[in-house]
PDB file of all heavy atoms in Angstrom:
ATOM      1  N   GLN A   1       0.834  -1.206   0.000  1.00 98.00           N
ATOM      2  CA  GLN A   1       0.000   0.000   0.000  1.00 98.00           C
ATOM      3  C   GLN A   1       0.868   1.256   0.000  1.00 98.00           C
ATOM      4  O   GLN A   1       0.620   2.206  -0.758  1.00 98.00           O
ATOM      5  CB  GLN A   1      -0.915  -0.007   1.222  1.00 98.00           C
ATOM      6  CG  GLN A   1      -1.834   1.183   1.319  1.00 98.00           C
ATOM      7  CD  GLN A   1      -2.588   1.218   2.651  1.00 98.00           C
ATOM      8  OE1 GLN A   1      -1.972   1.250   3.719  1.00 98.00           O
ATOM      9  NE2 GLN A   1      -3.908   1.195   2.579  1.00 98.00           N
ATOM     10  N   ALA A   2       1.893   1.265   0.842  1.00 98.00           N
ATOM     11  CA  ALA A   2       2.795   2.423   0.906  1.00 98.00           C
ATOM     12  C   ALA A   2       3.519   2.620  -0.421  1.00 98.00           C
ATOM     13  O   ALA A   2       3.679   3.752  -0.904  1.00 98.00           O
ATOM     14  CB  ALA A   2       3.795   2.240   2.044  1.00 98.00           C
ATOM     15  N   GLU A   3       3.951   1.531  -1.029  1.00 97.00           N
ATOM     16  CA  GLU A   3       4.659   1.613  -2.307  1.00 97.00           C
ATOM     17  C   GLU A   3       3.749   2.183  -3.393  1.00 97.00           C
ATOM     18  O   GLU A   3       4.175   3.012  -4.210  1.00 97.00           O
ATOM     19  CB  GLU A   3       5.161   0.227  -2.710  1.00 97.00           C
ATOM     20  CG  GLU A   3       6.042   0.215  -3.939  1.00 97.00           C
ATOM     21  CD  GLU A   3       6.489  -1.190  -4.321  1.00 97.00           C
ATOM     22  OE1 GLU A   3       6.275  -2.131  -3.533  1.00 97.00           O
ATOM     23  OE2 GLU A   3       7.036  -1.345  -5.428  1.00 97.00           O
ATOM     24  N   ALA A   4       2.483   1.759  -3.391  1.00 98.00           N
ATOM     25  CA  ALA A   4       1.537   2.252  -4.399  1.00 98.00           C
ATOM     26  C   ALA A   4       1.334   3.762  -4.272  1.00 98.00           C
ATOM     27  O   ALA A   4       1.292   4.483  -5.270  1.00 98.00           O
ATOM     28  CB  ALA A   4       0.202   1.525  -4.266  1.00 98.00           C
ATOM     29  N   LEU A   5       1.198   4.258  -3.041  1.00 98.00           N
ATOM     30  CA  LEU A   5       1.015   5.686  -2.824  1.00 98.00           C
ATOM     31  C   LEU A   5       2.275   6.468  -3.180  1.00 98.00           C
ATOM     32  O   LEU A   5       2.203   7.521  -3.826  1.00 98.00           O
ATOM     33  CB  LEU A   5       0.617   5.948  -1.369  1.00 98.00           C
ATOM     34  CG  LEU A   5       0.466   7.418  -0.969  1.00 98.00           C
ATOM     35  CD1 LEU A   5      -0.530   8.141  -1.855  1.00 98.00           C
ATOM     36  CD2 LEU A   5       0.053   7.520   0.510  1.00 98.00           C
ATOM     37  N   ARG A   6       3.407   5.956  -2.794  1.00 98.00           N
ATOM     38  CA  ARG A   6       4.673   6.618  -3.120  1.00 98.00           C
ATOM     39  C   ARG A   6       4.866   6.703  -4.632  1.00 98.00           C
ATOM     40  O   ARG A   6       5.250   7.746  -5.176  1.00 98.00           O
ATOM     41  CB  ARG A   6       5.834   5.847  -2.496  1.00 98.00           C
ATOM     42  CG  ARG A   6       7.206   6.467  -2.737  1.00 98.00           C
ATOM     43  CD  ARG A   6       8.300   5.432  -2.538  1.00 98.00           C
ATOM     44  NE  ARG A   6       8.259   4.420  -3.599  1.00 98.00           N
ATOM     45  CZ  ARG A   6       8.781   3.203  -3.502  1.00 98.00           C
ATOM     46  NH1 ARG A   6       9.369   2.817  -2.386  1.00 98.00           N
ATOM     47  NH2 ARG A   6       8.710   2.356  -4.519  1.00 98.00           N
ATOM     48  N   ASP A   7       4.584   5.607  -5.327  1.00 98.00           N
ATOM     49  CA  ASP A   7       4.827   5.570  -6.769  1.00 98.00           C
ATOM     50  C   ASP A   7       3.936   6.547  -7.526  1.00 98.00           C
ATOM     51  O   ASP A   7       4.397   7.252  -8.434  1.00 98.00           O
ATOM     52  CB  ASP A   7       4.608   4.154  -7.311  1.00 98.00           C
ATOM     53  CG  ASP A   7       5.738   3.195  -6.960  1.00 98.00           C
ATOM     54  OD1 ASP A   7       6.717   3.637  -6.327  1.00 98.00           O
ATOM     55  OD2 ASP A   7       5.629   2.008  -7.320  1.00 98.00           O
ATOM     56  N   ILE A   8       2.658   6.604  -7.183  1.00 98.00           N
ATOM     57  CA  ILE A   8       1.772   7.512  -7.915  1.00 98.00           C
ATOM     58  C   ILE A   8       2.161   8.963  -7.645  1.00 98.00           C
ATOM     59  O   ILE A   8       2.096   9.815  -8.540  1.00 98.00           O
ATOM     60  CB  ILE A   8       0.288   7.244  -7.596  1.00 98.00           C
ATOM     61  CG1 ILE A   8      -0.603   7.935  -8.648  1.00 98.00           C
ATOM     62  CG2 ILE A   8      -0.086   7.689  -6.191  1.00 98.00           C
ATOM     63  CD1 ILE A   8      -2.061   7.533  -8.562  1.00 98.00           C
ATOM     64  N   THR A   9       2.619   9.260  -6.438  1.00 98.00           N
ATOM     65  CA  THR A   9       3.065  10.622  -6.134  1.00 98.00           C
ATOM     66  C   THR A   9       4.308  10.979  -6.935  1.00 98.00           C
ATOM     67  O   THR A   9       4.418  12.081  -7.497  1.00 98.00           O
ATOM     68  CB  THR A   9       3.336  10.777  -4.632  1.00 98.00           C
ATOM     69  OG1 THR A   9       2.172  10.393  -3.892  1.00 98.00           O
ATOM     70  CG2 THR A   9       3.680  12.213  -4.286  1.00 98.00           C
ATOM     71  N   ASN A  10       5.260  10.060  -7.026  1.00 97.00           N
ATOM     72  CA  ASN A  10       6.474  10.322  -7.795  1.00 97.00           C
ATOM     73  C   ASN A  10       6.169  10.538  -9.271  1.00 97.00           C
ATOM     74  O   ASN A  10       6.797  11.377  -9.936  1.00 97.00           O
ATOM     75  CB  ASN A  10       7.452   9.164  -7.632  1.00 97.00           C
ATOM     76  CG  ASN A  10       8.085   9.109  -6.254  1.00 97.00           C
ATOM     77  OD1 ASN A  10       7.852   9.986  -5.424  1.00 97.00           O
ATOM     78  ND2 ASN A  10       8.856   8.083  -5.997  1.00 97.00           N
ATOM     79  N   VAL A  11       5.203   9.798  -9.798  1.00 97.00           N
ATOM     80  CA  VAL A  11       4.813   9.931 -11.197  1.00 97.00           C
ATOM     81  C   VAL A  11       4.170  11.301 -11.452  1.00 97.00           C
ATOM     82  O   VAL A  11       4.462  11.965 -12.449  1.00 97.00           O
ATOM     83  CB  VAL A  11       3.867   8.779 -11.586  1.00 97.00           C
ATOM     84  CG1 VAL A  11       3.075   9.101 -12.836  1.00 97.00           C
ATOM     85  CG2 VAL A  11       4.667   7.492 -11.789  1.00 97.00           C
ATOM     86  N   VAL A  12       3.302  11.743 -10.550  1.00 98.00           N
ATOM     87  CA  VAL A  12       2.666  13.057 -10.696  1.00 98.00           C
ATOM     88  C   VAL A  12       3.700  14.174 -10.555  1.00 98.00           C
ATOM     89  O   VAL A  12       3.653  15.183 -11.266  1.00 98.00           O
ATOM     90  CB  VAL A  12       1.533  13.227  -9.668  1.00 98.00           C
ATOM     91  CG1 VAL A  12       0.975  14.645  -9.695  1.00 98.00           C
ATOM     92  CG2 VAL A  12       0.412  12.216  -9.939  1.00 98.00           C
ATOM     93  N   ALA A  13       4.655  14.006  -9.660  1.00 97.00           N
ATOM     94  CA  ALA A  13       5.666  15.042  -9.419  1.00 97.00           C
ATOM     95  C   ALA A  13       6.501  15.346 -10.654  1.00 97.00           C
ATOM     96  O   ALA A  13       7.064  16.439 -10.769  1.00 97.00           O
ATOM     97  CB  ALA A  13       6.583  14.625  -8.275  1.00 97.00           C
ATOM     98  N   ALA A  14       6.588  14.409 -11.584  1.00 97.00           N
ATOM     99  CA  ALA A  14       7.437  14.594 -12.754  1.00 97.00           C
ATOM    100  C   ALA A  14       6.759  15.365 -13.880  1.00 97.00           C
ATOM    101  O   ALA A  14       7.387  15.613 -14.913  1.00 97.00           O
ATOM    102  CB  ALA A  14       7.897  13.240 -13.279  1.00 97.00           C
ATOM    103  N   VAL A  15       5.493  15.763 -13.717  1.00 98.00           N
ATOM    104  CA  VAL A  15       4.828  16.555 -14.757  1.00 98.00           C
ATOM    105  C   VAL A  15       5.656  17.821 -15.004  1.00 98.00           C
ATOM    106  O   VAL A  15       6.008  18.534 -14.059  1.00 98.00           O
ATOM    107  CB  VAL A  15       3.392  16.912 -14.350  1.00 98.00           C
ATOM    108  CG1 VAL A  15       2.758  17.869 -15.368  1.00 98.00           C
ATOM    109  CG2 VAL A  15       2.546  15.639 -14.242  1.00 98.00           C
ATOM    110  N   PRO A  16       5.991  18.125 -16.257  1.00 96.00           N
ATOM    111  CA  PRO A  16       6.883  19.256 -16.538  1.00 96.00           C
ATOM    112  C   PRO A  16       6.331  20.594 -16.049  1.00 96.00           C
ATOM    113  O   PRO A  16       5.117  20.797 -15.931  1.00 96.00           O
ATOM    114  CB  PRO A  16       6.982  19.242 -18.071  1.00 96.00           C
ATOM    115  CG  PRO A  16       6.721  17.824 -18.461  1.00 96.00           C
ATOM    116  CD  PRO A  16       5.692  17.340 -17.472  1.00 96.00           C
ATOM    117  N   GLY A  17       7.265  21.505 -15.774  1.00 94.00           N
ATOM    118  CA  GLY A  17       6.899  22.851 -15.390  1.00 94.00           C
ATOM    119  C   GLY A  17       6.338  22.991 -13.993  1.00 94.00           C
ATOM    120  O   GLY A  17       5.754  24.022 -13.650  1.00 94.00           O
ATOM    121  N   GLY A  18       6.514  21.966 -13.160  1.00 95.00           N
ATOM    122  CA  GLY A  18       5.966  22.025 -11.806  1.00 95.00           C
ATOM    123  C   GLY A  18       4.452  21.985 -11.779  1.00 95.00           C
ATOM    124  O   GLY A  18       3.834  22.405 -10.799  1.00 95.00           O
ATOM    125  N   ARG A  19       3.826  21.457 -12.832  1.00 97.00           N
ATOM    126  CA  ARG A  19       2.368  21.468 -12.939  1.00 97.00           C
ATOM    127  C   ARG A  19       1.709  20.197 -12.417  1.00 97.00           C
ATOM    128  O   ARG A  19       0.488  20.052 -12.533  1.00 97.00           O
ATOM    129  CB  ARG A  19       1.955  21.732 -14.380  1.00 97.00           C
ATOM    130  CG  ARG A  19       2.248  23.173 -14.797  1.00 97.00           C
ATOM    131  CD  ARG A  19       1.699  23.495 -16.156  1.00 97.00           C
ATOM    132  NE  ARG A  19       1.660  24.928 -16.393  1.00 97.00           N
ATOM    133  CZ  ARG A  19       1.092  25.490 -17.448  1.00 97.00           C
ATOM    134  NH1 ARG A  19       0.501  24.732 -18.366  1.00 97.00           N
ATOM    135  NH2 ARG A  19       1.097  26.800 -17.600  1.00 97.00           N
ATOM    136  N   GLY A  20       2.479  19.292 -11.882  1.00 98.00           N
ATOM    137  CA  GLY A  20       1.900  18.151 -11.180  1.00 98.00           C
ATOM    138  C   GLY A  20       1.758  18.508  -9.713  1.00 98.00           C
ATOM    139  O   GLY A  20       2.706  18.417  -8.932  1.00 98.00           O
ATOM    140  N   LEU A  21       0.559  18.960  -9.314  1.00 98.00           N
ATOM    141  CA  LEU A  21       0.389  19.559  -7.989  1.00 98.00           C
ATOM    142  C   LEU A  21       0.530  18.562  -6.849  1.00 98.00           C
ATOM    143  O   LEU A  21       1.031  18.894  -5.782  1.00 98.00           O
ATOM    144  CB  LEU A  21      -0.972  20.254  -7.911  1.00 98.00           C
ATOM    145  CG  LEU A  21      -1.206  21.400  -8.896  1.00 98.00           C
ATOM    146  CD1 LEU A  21      -2.591  22.006  -8.687  1.00 98.00           C
ATOM    147  CD2 LEU A  21      -0.132  22.459  -8.749  1.00 98.00           C
ATOM    148  N   GLY A  22       0.050  17.333  -7.057  1.00 98.00           N
ATOM    149  CA  GLY A  22       0.136  16.359  -5.984  1.00 98.00           C
ATOM    150  C   GLY A  22      -0.984  15.343  -6.052  1.00 98.00           C
ATOM    151  O   GLY A  22      -1.640  15.165  -7.077  1.00 98.00           O
ATOM    152  N   VAL A  23      -1.211  14.680  -4.902  1.00 98.00           N
ATOM    153  CA  VAL A  23      -2.098  13.516  -4.832  1.00 98.00           C
ATOM    154  C   VAL A  23      -2.934  13.575  -3.561  1.00 98.00           C
ATOM    155  O   VAL A  23      -2.432  13.938  -2.490  1.00 98.00           O
ATOM    156  CB  VAL A  23      -1.270  12.215  -4.850  1.00 98.00           C
ATOM    157  CG1 VAL A  23      -2.145  10.999  -4.592  1.00 98.00           C
ATOM    158  CG2 VAL A  23      -0.532  12.063  -6.183  1.00 98.00           C
ATOM    159  N   PHE A  24      -4.212  13.205  -3.691  1.00 98.00           N
ATOM    160  CA  PHE A  24      -5.107  13.002  -2.547  1.00 98.00           C
ATOM    161  C   PHE A  24      -5.407  11.512  -2.407  1.00 98.00           C
ATOM    162  O   PHE A  24      -5.760  10.854  -3.395  1.00 98.00           O
ATOM    163  CB  PHE A  24      -6.436  13.743  -2.743  1.00 98.00           C
ATOM    164  CG  PHE A  24      -6.365  15.228  -2.607  1.00 98.00           C
ATOM    165  CD1 PHE A  24      -5.877  16.009  -3.642  1.00 98.00           C
ATOM    166  CD2 PHE A  24      -6.799  15.853  -1.443  1.00 98.00           C
ATOM    167  CE1 PHE A  24      -5.815  17.389  -3.536  1.00 98.00           C
ATOM    168  CE2 PHE A  24      -6.755  17.238  -1.322  1.00 98.00           C
ATOM    169  CZ  PHE A  24      -6.258  18.004  -2.372  1.00 98.00           C
ATOM    170  N   TYR A  25      -5.311  11.001  -1.182  1.00 98.00           N
ATOM    171  CA  TYR A  25      -5.711   9.626  -0.891  1.00 98.00           C
ATOM    172  C   TYR A  25      -7.182   9.636  -0.501  1.00 98.00           C
ATOM    173  O   TYR A  25      -7.613  10.445   0.323  1.00 98.00           O
ATOM    174  CB  TYR A  25      -4.862   9.043   0.241  1.00 98.00           C
ATOM    175  CG  TYR A  25      -4.942   7.541   0.341  1.00 98.00           C
ATOM    176  CD1 TYR A  25      -3.996   6.753  -0.296  1.00 98.00           C
ATOM    177  CD2 TYR A  25      -5.952   6.919   1.052  1.00 98.00           C
ATOM    178  CE1 TYR A  25      -4.061   5.364  -0.218  1.00 98.00           C
ATOM    179  CE2 TYR A  25      -6.035   5.539   1.135  1.00 98.00           C
ATOM    180  CZ  TYR A  25      -5.083   4.764   0.496  1.00 98.00           C
ATOM    181  OH  TYR A  25      -5.158   3.388   0.571  1.00 98.00           O
ATOM    182  N   TRP A  26      -7.949   8.713  -1.086  1.00 98.00           N
ATOM    183  CA  TRP A  26      -9.393   8.724  -0.860  1.00 98.00           C
ATOM    184  C   TRP A  26      -9.762   7.948   0.402  1.00 98.00           C
ATOM    185  O   TRP A  26      -9.487   6.752   0.518  1.00 98.00           O
ATOM    186  CB  TRP A  26     -10.139   8.147  -2.061  1.00 98.00           C
ATOM    187  CG  TRP A  26     -11.601   8.523  -2.049  1.00 98.00           C
ATOM    188  CD1 TRP A  26     -12.129   9.737  -2.342  1.00 98.00           C
ATOM    189  CD2 TRP A  26     -12.699   7.674  -1.702  1.00 98.00           C
ATOM    190  NE1 TRP A  26     -13.508   9.705  -2.205  1.00 98.00           N
ATOM    191  CE2 TRP A  26     -13.884   8.452  -1.822  1.00 98.00           C
ATOM    192  CE3 TRP A  26     -12.801   6.337  -1.316  1.00 98.00           C
ATOM    193  CZ2 TRP A  26     -15.151   7.929  -1.560  1.00 98.00           C
ATOM    194  CZ3 TRP A  26     -14.057   5.819  -1.056  1.00 98.00           C
ATOM    195  CH2 TRP A  26     -15.212   6.612  -1.177  1.00 98.00           C
TER     196      TRP A  26
END
């Protein structure tokens, strides 16, 4: 579970121009 959350956050963080704002856990 921790790995899944970490991975999706890292993927969003790489959006160019700092436009990957982040992640909400439901």
Side-chain angles (χ1 to χ4, degrees):
Q1 181 188 58
E3 186 181 350
L5 177 56
R6 182 200 69 202
D7 285 358
I8 195 170
T9 305
N10 288 356
V11 161
V12 173
V15 174
R19 289 187 165 187
L21 299 181
V23 172
F24 287 78
Y25 196 94
W26 197 74

